[in-house]
Amino acid sequence: MTDAQRAYAEEVLLGFQRKGVRAILDAGDDTLSRKIALAHAAAIPLVAVIGRREAERRSVAIREREGGQQRELPLDEAVVEVAQRCAPLA
């Protein structure tokens, strides 16, 4: 993870946290594939993937545990969608 990618990932994390989403940043040395596999094994339902492409585009790739689907969304849309999906049921 480059310094620019890390700075963008921290911005994404802050956006999620401001909306009340419980989120963490894994900026460790594992490969992106390994990080995704570990999140899957830990039964994390949604993973926000930030790589070079996402940092350049100011987007977020949202990967769902069930079905392994991944979609890329602009940052603002990703924050709103994840916050809505993580909101408690009324």
Side-chain angles (χ1 to χ4, degrees):
M1 179 177 275
T2 66
D3 289 343
Q5 290 168 348
R6 183 183 177 98
Y8 180 62
E10 289 172 352
E11 181 182 341
V12 172
L13 176 66
L14 186 59
F16 286 145
Q17 291 174 336
R18 283 183 176 154
K19 290 288 190 178
V21 175
R22 185 177 61 186
I24 61 167
L25 171 61
D26 182 352
D29 293 331
D30 285 332
T31 65
L32 189 55
S33 297
R34 176 80 175 136
K35 290 176 185 183
I36 291 169
L38 290 171
H40 184 80
I44 297 173
L46 293 173
V47 176
V49 179
I50 308 295
R52 178 189 52 79
R53 178 179 42 192
E54 290 80 17
E56 289 172 356
R57 295 179 182 175
R58 296 196 48 80
S59 64
V60 180
I62 303 296
R63 184 176 184 92
E64 298 186 33
R65 182 175 187 273
E66 295 297 322
Q69 298 172 352
Q70 182 169 307
R71 314 181 276 128
E72 189 174 339
L73 300 170
L75 174 58
D76 293 341
E77 288 180 34
V79 168
V80 169
E81 181 173 318
V82 170
Q84 288 174 345
R85 293 187 60 185
C86 294
L89 298 175

